PDB file of all heavy atoms in Angstrom:
ATOM      1  N   ASP A 201     -31.238   4.936 -17.941  1.00  0.00           N
ATOM      2  CA  ASP A 201     -30.037   4.080 -17.931  1.00  0.00           C
ATOM      3  C   ASP A 201     -28.912   4.713 -17.101  1.00  0.00           C
ATOM      4  O   ASP A 201     -27.820   4.130 -16.985  1.00  0.00           O
ATOM      5  CB  ASP A 201     -29.529   3.848 -19.362  1.00  0.00           C
ATOM      6  CG  ASP A 201     -30.583   3.192 -20.237  1.00  0.00           C
ATOM      7  OD1 ASP A 201     -31.298   2.309 -19.726  1.00  0.00           O
ATOM      8  OD2 ASP A 201     -30.713   3.588 -21.420  1.00  0.00           O
ATOM      9  N   LEU A 202     -29.198   5.876 -16.567  1.00  0.00           N
ATOM     10  CA  LEU A 202     -28.165   6.588 -15.809  1.00  0.00           C
ATOM     11  C   LEU A 202     -28.546   6.684 -14.324  1.00  0.00           C
ATOM     12  O   LEU A 202     -29.724   6.710 -14.014  1.00  0.00           O
ATOM     13  CB  LEU A 202     -27.983   8.000 -16.375  1.00  0.00           C
ATOM     14  CG  LEU A 202     -27.397   8.050 -17.774  1.00  0.00           C
ATOM     15  CD1 LEU A 202     -27.440   9.472 -18.330  1.00  0.00           C
ATOM     16  CD2 LEU A 202     -25.947   7.531 -17.775  1.00  0.00           C
ATOM     17  N   PRO A 203     -27.600   6.765 -13.426  1.00  0.00           N
ATOM     18  CA  PRO A 203     -26.175   6.668 -13.709  1.00  0.00           C
ATOM     19  C   PRO A 203     -25.764   5.233 -14.018  1.00  0.00           C
ATOM     20  O   PRO A 203     -26.393   4.297 -13.546  1.00  0.00           O
ATOM     21  CB  PRO A 203     -25.537   7.142 -12.404  1.00  0.00           C
ATOM     22  CG  PRO A 203     -26.530   6.810 -11.339  1.00  0.00           C
ATOM     23  CD  PRO A 203     -27.869   6.940 -11.983  1.00  0.00           C
ATOM     24  N   LEU A 204     -24.688   5.089 -14.787  1.00  0.00           N
ATOM     25  CA  LEU A 204     -24.068   3.780 -15.004  1.00  0.00           C
ATOM     26  C   LEU A 204     -22.743   3.812 -14.238  1.00  0.00           C
ATOM     27  O   LEU A 204     -21.879   4.642 -14.532  1.00  0.00           O
ATOM     28  CB  LEU A 204     -23.829   3.556 -16.500  1.00  0.00           C
ATOM     29  CG  LEU A 204     -23.115   2.243 -16.851  1.00  0.00           C
ATOM     30  CD1 LEU A 204     -23.898   1.024 -16.381  1.00  0.00           C
ATOM     31  CD2 LEU A 204     -22.859   2.155 -18.350  1.00  0.00           C
ATOM     32  N   LYS A 205     -22.658   2.942 -13.246  1.00  0.00           N
ATOM     33  CA  LYS A 205     -21.475   3.023 -12.363  1.00  0.00           C
ATOM     34  C   LYS A 205     -20.816   1.649 -12.267  1.00  0.00           C
ATOM     35  O   LYS A 205     -21.330   0.748 -11.627  1.00  0.00           O
ATOM     36  CB  LYS A 205     -21.902   3.505 -10.980  1.00  0.00           C
ATOM     37  CG  LYS A 205     -22.647   4.848 -11.041  1.00  0.00           C
ATOM     38  CD  LYS A 205     -22.690   5.560  -9.715  1.00  0.00           C
ATOM     39  CE  LYS A 205     -23.743   5.060  -8.782  1.00  0.00           C
ATOM     40  NZ  LYS A 205     -23.849   5.903  -7.568  1.00  0.00           N
ATOM     41  N   LEU A 206     -19.662   1.519 -12.922  1.00  0.00           N
ATOM     42  CA  LEU A 206     -18.955   0.237 -12.953  1.00  0.00           C
ATOM     43  C   LEU A 206     -17.544   0.360 -12.387  1.00  0.00           C
ATOM     44  O   LEU A 206     -16.909   1.413 -12.477  1.00  0.00           O
ATOM     45  CB  LEU A 206     -18.861  -0.285 -14.394  1.00  0.00           C
ATOM     46  CG  LEU A 206     -20.189  -0.558 -15.115  1.00  0.00           C
ATOM     47  CD1 LEU A 206     -19.919  -1.117 -16.507  1.00  0.00           C
ATOM     48  CD2 LEU A 206     -21.077  -1.518 -14.322  1.00  0.00           C
ATOM     49  N   ASN A 207     -17.118  -0.763 -11.835  1.00  0.00           N
ATOM     50  CA  ASN A 207     -15.740  -0.846 -11.339  1.00  0.00           C
ATOM     51  C   ASN A 207     -15.169  -2.155 -11.825  1.00  0.00           C
ATOM     52  O   ASN A 207     -15.890  -3.130 -11.983  1.00  0.00           O
ATOM     53  CB  ASN A 207     -15.739  -0.844  -9.804  1.00  0.00           C
ATOM     54  CG  ASN A 207     -14.347  -1.037  -9.232  1.00  0.00           C
ATOM     55  OD1 ASN A 207     -13.487  -0.169  -9.386  1.00  0.00           O
ATOM     56  ND2 ASN A 207     -14.104  -2.164  -8.579  1.00  0.00           N
ATOM     57  N   GLN A 208     -13.865  -2.181 -12.085  1.00  0.00           N
ATOM     58  CA  GLN A 208     -13.261  -3.503 -12.305  1.00  0.00           C
ATOM     59  C   GLN A 208     -11.932  -3.623 -11.582  1.00  0.00           C
ATOM     60  O   GLN A 208     -11.167  -2.683 -11.488  1.00  0.00           O
ATOM     61  CB  GLN A 208     -13.155  -3.853 -13.785  1.00  0.00           C
ATOM     62  CG  GLN A 208     -12.019  -3.254 -14.559  1.00  0.00           C
ATOM     63  CD  GLN A 208     -11.926  -3.834 -15.977  1.00  0.00           C
ATOM     64  OE1 GLN A 208     -12.679  -4.734 -16.352  1.00  0.00           O
ATOM     65  NE2 GLN A 208     -11.009  -3.314 -16.763  1.00  0.00           N
ATOM     66  N   TRP A 209     -11.734  -4.826 -11.022  1.00  0.00           N
ATOM     67  CA  TRP A 209     -10.461  -5.186 -10.392  1.00  0.00           C
ATOM     68  C   TRP A 209      -9.668  -5.929 -11.451  1.00  0.00           C
ATOM     69  O   TRP A 209     -10.149  -6.941 -11.966  1.00  0.00           O
ATOM     70  CB  TRP A 209     -10.702  -6.110  -9.191  1.00  0.00           C
ATOM     71  CG  TRP A 209     -11.434  -5.462  -8.068  1.00  0.00           C
ATOM     72  CD1 TRP A 209     -12.771  -5.539  -7.812  1.00  0.00           C
ATOM     73  CD2 TRP A 209     -10.870  -4.634  -7.039  1.00  0.00           C
ATOM     74  NE1 TRP A 209     -13.080  -4.803  -6.680  1.00  0.00           N
ATOM     75  CE2 TRP A 209     -11.932  -4.243  -6.187  1.00  0.00           C
ATOM     76  CE3 TRP A 209      -9.581  -4.186  -6.748  1.00  0.00           C
ATOM     77  CZ2 TRP A 209     -11.739  -3.428  -5.074  1.00  0.00           C
ATOM     78  CZ3 TRP A 209      -9.397  -3.374  -5.642  1.00  0.00           C
ATOM     79  CH2 TRP A 209     -10.456  -2.996  -4.812  1.00  0.00           C
ATOM     80  N   CYS A 210      -8.510  -5.432 -11.778  1.00  0.00           N
ATOM     81  CA  CYS A 210      -7.758  -6.107 -12.843  1.00  0.00           C
ATOM     82  C   CYS A 210      -6.278  -5.719 -12.808  1.00  0.00           C
ATOM     83  O   CYS A 210      -5.828  -4.982 -11.928  1.00  0.00           O
ATOM     84  CB  CYS A 210      -8.352  -5.742 -14.201  1.00  0.00           C
ATOM     85  SG  CYS A 210      -8.205  -4.007 -14.629  1.00  0.00           S
ATOM     86  N   ASN A 211      -5.567  -6.249 -13.785  1.00  0.00           N
ATOM     87  CA  ASN A 211      -4.168  -5.853 -13.988  1.00  0.00           C
ATOM     88  C   ASN A 211      -4.114  -4.940 -15.216  1.00  0.00           C
ATOM     89  O   ASN A 211      -4.991  -5.008 -16.083  1.00  0.00           O
ATOM     90  CB  ASN A 211      -3.299  -7.090 -14.221  1.00  0.00           C
ATOM     91  CG  ASN A 211      -3.767  -7.901 -15.407  1.00  0.00           C
ATOM     92  OD1 ASN A 211      -4.904  -7.782 -15.841  1.00  0.00           O
ATOM     93  ND2 ASN A 211      -2.891  -8.732 -15.942  1.00  0.00           N
ATOM     94  N   VAL A 212      -3.116  -4.086 -15.257  1.00  0.00           N
ATOM     95  CA  VAL A 212      -2.873  -3.301 -16.469  1.00  0.00           C
ATOM     96  C   VAL A 212      -1.381  -3.339 -16.763  1.00  0.00           C
ATOM     97  O   VAL A 212      -0.566  -3.623 -15.886  1.00  0.00           O
ATOM     98  CB  VAL A 212      -3.350  -1.824 -16.351  1.00  0.00           C
ATOM     99  CG1 VAL A 212      -4.846  -1.721 -16.480  1.00  0.00           C
ATOM    100  CG2 VAL A 212      -2.877  -1.174 -15.081  1.00  0.00           C
ATOM    101  N   VAL A 213      -1.051  -3.064 -18.013  1.00  0.00           N
ATOM    102  CA  VAL A 213       0.356  -3.124 -18.431  1.00  0.00           C
ATOM    103  C   VAL A 213       0.761  -1.777 -19.014  1.00  0.00           C
ATOM    104  O   VAL A 213       0.075  -1.251 -19.897  1.00  0.00           O
ATOM    105  CB  VAL A 213       0.574  -4.249 -19.474  1.00  0.00           C
ATOM    106  CG1 VAL A 213       1.975  -4.177 -20.065  1.00  0.00           C
ATOM    107  CG2 VAL A 213       0.327  -5.615 -18.845  1.00  0.00           C
ATOM    108  N   ARG A 214       1.824  -1.205 -18.468  1.00  0.00           N
ATOM    109  CA  ARG A 214       2.416   0.022 -19.027  1.00  0.00           C
ATOM    110  C   ARG A 214       3.916  -0.217 -19.149  1.00  0.00           C
ATOM    111  O   ARG A 214       4.588  -0.385 -18.132  1.00  0.00           O
ATOM    112  CB  ARG A 214       2.136   1.222 -18.115  1.00  0.00           C
ATOM    113  CG  ARG A 214       0.668   1.532 -18.066  1.00  0.00           C
ATOM    114  CD  ARG A 214       0.338   2.677 -17.150  1.00  0.00           C
ATOM    115  NE  ARG A 214      -1.106   2.855 -17.063  1.00  0.00           N
ATOM    116  CZ  ARG A 214      -1.709   3.723 -16.262  1.00  0.00           C
ATOM    117  NH1 ARG A 214      -0.986   4.490 -15.467  1.00  0.00           N
ATOM    118  NH2 ARG A 214      -3.023   3.817 -16.236  1.00  0.00           N
TER     119      ARG A 214
END
Side-chain angles (χ1 to χ4, degrees):
D201 301 321
L202 293 172
L204 177 60
K205 304 199 279 187
L206 299 182
N207 176 67
Q208 80 172 356
W209 294 97
C210 65
N211 58 340
V212 284
V213 171
R214 294 178 185 175

